[in-house]
Amino acid sequence: MSEIGHFINNARVAGTSGRSQPVYNPATGKSESSVVLASVAEVDAAVAAAKAAWPAWAKTPPLRRARILDRFKSILWERGDQLAEAISAEHGKTHDDALGEVTRGLEVVEFAVGAPHLLKGEITENVGTNVDSHSLRQPLGVVAGITPFNFPAMVPMWMFPVALACGNCFILKPSERDPSASLLMAEWLAEAGLPEGVFGVVQGDKQAVDALLEHPDVAAISFVGSTPIARYIHQTGTANGKRVQALGGAKNHMVIMPDADIDMAVGALMGAAFGSAGERCMAISVAVPVTDKVADALIEKLIPKINALKIGPAADKATDMGPLVTAQHLEKVKGYIDAGEAEGAKVVVDGRTFKTDKQGYEGGYYIGGTLLDNVTTDMSVWKDEIFGPVLSVVRAKTYDEAVDVIGQHEYANGVAVFTRDGDVARAFSHDIEVGMVGVNVPIPVPMAFHSFGGWKASLFGDHHMHGAEGVRFYTRLKAITTRWPTGMRNDPEFVMPTMG
Ligand code: NAD
């Protein structure tokens, strides 16, 4: 059994804590490796390496930093398949889906390569007589990223390319469920020329996270994961004086208006609800058809498509939907379907009994696609994030009722409306209290040069990730006011200086 360790000072490092846990292949249910779990001392060592590297990295011209990221980007293009394979082996998602994740991460690297432009300050000539003022964006120091299992390459790449381009050193604490992608990215950054200590990986659990949250030399924390942990990270990190952005869970609704192209809506729902087995923070987990007529038509068209989903291992190229990430998560998702049924939802398609007949994969964590009808806002299947291939249908009589359902939810990550009516689309986009909105787009994940983030309990902090918001998060502003001897007064000024 191989052991997955840390990455410090551009080298793989074995764990010393004596603690580790198995990493499973969700497609087979077997474990062939384990991941080490860092002690406080190991986190200290990673932070010390980053702190030592920071002064030189911060002073490295932005163009040189960007060129290293540019080389990293080329490596990602060449070896995307290798990274996708590592992701599929520990996460379970299909190869093409994993490759899509790598590409979306790579796009943030492309964005970060333009950082010299983003880091430009502002200048005002003659704010007073012979006095000029300019502002700079400077890096924060050592920053850390704590990431979830569902995008082991993309979510770290929402963070570190921008952080590094801005002149920070970065420590990644990936999910302990799929830790291998982080090490490949770390090795490729080193190969691209990143100096020792600038990027490190610390594997671990709560102990490592707490050590980062409390460490006096960590200036900022970026977190993506579930809402209870995001809330904890934000509270603890800010109490320790850090800048924190903590993205949490989601329950994304899709409103289908009576004028919508129903086949288009069905196709969109299939991908958005069942792609990656529903383990996406932007997955659509609730369909809100407006009028019973639309609901009935939608359900009739969804049933055969859900029954036809090809469920299996990533190794099978025909697979639409892989397994869930762990045996515990599989039980949790089944438990939600049980609860929904007990609370009065109608189980239209039942994925609980799905079994794979593929030899060698009988122990994998598979579940079939599930469709629940007549779901109401008092049910746990609506209130909680299930994070599995379970699509709930909440029927609405009117557009206003649909909007009201969405407004009641504590999460506000993504949302979509399917309609041909421009007025409805505009009113929906402008009025809905959700961070990312799609009009006839089911998964409206912003491109790298825009920023990603939800509202309400889907994000704690002030900054979204990547794009201009990412640059703001990873830099601090300095304002410099300059006067040269010409025209200087020698007599002391005891009143508040004004330039009028
Ligand atoms: P998680 O919250 O269990 O774990 C996320 C990270 O926090 C991991 O690195 C984990 O090691 C760490 N962690 C877990 N428990 C902790 C604790 N008690 N104290 C300190 N650290 C702890 O999330 P997950 O199951 O890995 O990922 C799925 C969740 O992430 C879903 O809720 C999903 O919606 C969310 N997510 C959100 C976004 C977004 O952009 N909003 C994106 C991807 C995933």
Side-chain angles (χ1 to χ4, degrees):
M1 175 156 325
S2 62
E3 195 162 72
I4 299 160
H6 313 299
F7 192 92
I8 299 171
N9 278 332
N10 281 359
R12 290 196 186 223
V13 177
T16 54
S17 69
R19 295 193 311 129
S20 65
Q21 73 176 52
V23 177
Y24 292 93
N25 179 344
T28 60
K30 294 190 181 121
S31 169
E32 278 144 28
S33 56
S34 62
V35 60
V36 301
L37 303 171
S39 62
V40 174
E42 287 171 286
V43 172
D44 285 349
V47 175
K51 189 181 176 190
W54 184 58
W57 182 243
K59 290 247 182 285
T60 301
L63 200 56
R64 269 192 221 151
R65 295 197 297 248
R67 283 185 185 142
I68 293 170
L69 288 168
D70 195 36
R71 285 195 286 276
F72 174 65
K73 185 196 74 184
S74 302
I75 297 173
L76 277 177
W77 273 126
E78 283 162 22
R79 300 183 208 157
D81 276 321
Q82 191 186 340
L83 188 54
E85 271 162 34
I87 294 167
S88 293
E90 293 175 355
H91 176 285
K93 65 175 76 173
T94 64
H95 184 77
D96 285 350
D97 192 26
L99 210 49
E101 143 166 24
V102 172
T103 305
R104 291 308 298 260
L106 188 151
E107 287 164 5
V108 184
V109 185
E110 284 175 329
F111 166 76
V113 169
H117 167 70
L118 302 164
L119 289 169
K120 286 189 300 194
E122 294 179 321
I123 182 158
T124 307
E125 185 188 31
N126 245 17
V127 289
T129 309
N130 291 329
V131 179
D132 304 322
S133 226
H134 69 282
S135 63
L136 301 177
R137 288 208 163 268
Q138 294 193 321
L140 307 178
V142 179
V143 300
I146 299 157
T147 53
F149 82 85
N150 66 326
F151 286 110
M154 184 185 78
V155 169
M157 283 195 271
W158 282 354
M159 304 170 180
F160 73 75
V162 183
L164 297 179
C166 292
N168 300 282
C169 291
F170 192 93
I171 295 172
L172 174 62
K173 203 305 283 173
S175 169
E176 54 276 51
R177 286 180 255 176
D178 44 16
S180 292
S182 64
L183 295 182
L184 280 178
M185 293 188 291
E187 281 182 339
W188 297 347
L189 281 167
E191 196 180 323
L194 201 68
E196 282 184 11
V198 173
F199 182 84
V201 177
V202 177
Q203 310 287 1
D205 55 6
K206 181 171 168 53
Q207 197 169 323
V209 172
D210 286 344
L212 288 168
L213 288 173
E214 284 158 19
H215 204 296
D217 293 330
V218 173
I221 302 272
S222 298
F223 172 88
V224 177
S226 59
T227 285
I229 311 297
R231 191 179 276 120
Y232 167 76
I233 299 280
H234 186 254
Q235 283 172 354
T236 315
T238 51
N240 285 318
K242 301 183 196 316
R243 190 179 282 197
V244 181
Q245 53 178 182
L247 278 59
K251 194 82 180 175
N252 307 313
H253 297 69
M254 181 167 134
V255 176
I256 304 101
M257 293 299 291
D259 67 333
D261 179 329
I262 198 85
D263 290 315
M264 182 185 175
V266 168
L269 268 176
M270 286 302 300
F274 303 109
S276 204
E279 291 172 325
R280 288 181 182 144
C281 64
M282 290 292 274
I284 295 285
S285 50
V286 186
V288 192
V290 175
T291 74
D292 280 336
K293 192 173 164 212
V294 175
D296 294 341
L298 191 77
I299 287 169
E300 194 188 319
K301 284 177 185 271
L302 281 169
I303 292 171
K305 288 198 185 307
I306 299 172
N307 283 323
L309 275 172
K310 294 190 193 74
I311 299 155
D316 183 346
K317 295 269 171 285
T319 296
D320 296 320
M321 192 174 101
L324 290 173
V325 67
T326 58
Q328 296 89 314
H329 191 51
L330 175 63
E331 287 316 307
K332 186 176 155 194
V333 173
K334 283 183 178 171
Y336 270 115
I337 304 170
D338 294 344
E341 191 173 31
E343 286 164 351
K346 181 178 170 199
V347 184
V348 181
V349 182
D350 191 348
R352 285 172 292 189
T353 50
F354 176 85
K355 289 258 174 302
T356 182
D357 52 8
K358 292 200 170 62
Q359 237 187 339
Y361 296 99
E362 298 84 352
Y365 312 133
Y366 300 100
I367 184 169
T370 295
L371 183 64
L372 304 177
D373 192 11
N374 297 327
V375 170
T376 51
T377 54
D378 52 351
M379 295 181 189
S380 58
V381 284
W382 180 79
K383 286 188 196 148
D384 297 350
E385 181 184 45
I386 302 175
F387 225 53
V390 181
L391 179 62
S392 296
V393 177
V394 175
R395 291 171 179 244
K397 289 190 185 60
T398 61
Y399 168 79
D400 287 342
E401 205 180 301
V403 168
D404 184 54
V405 166
I406 296 163
Q408 285 178 48
H409 211 285
E410 66 165 322
Y411 298 137
N413 212 39
V415 74
V417 64
F418 274 62
T419 181
R420 289 183 171 105
D421 185 327
D423 269 346
V424 168
R426 187 174 189 281
F428 185 85
S429 315
H430 286 241
D431 298 342
I432 204 81
E433 300 244 327
V434 177
M436 292 171 282
V437 183
V439 176
N440 299 316
V441 173
I443 306 189
V445 174
M447 297 300 287
F449 33 91
H450 289 270
S451 300
F452 183 107
W455 287 10
K456 291 159 75 177
S458 293
L459 190 147
F460 302 89
D462 303 312
H463 295 278
H464 290 200
M465 286 197 180
H466 60 69
E469 281 281 275
V471 175
R472 282 184 207 116
F473 182 77
Y474 288 123
T475 54
R476 48 189 169 172
L477 266 181
K478 184 178 276 178
I480 300 172
T481 305
T482 310
R483 176 158 65 186
W484 295 101
T486 308
M488 240 166 112
R489 293 164 56 169
N490 293 328
D491 46 325
E493 289 180 60
F494 296 105
V495 296
M496 182 71 188
T498 62
M499 298 298 183

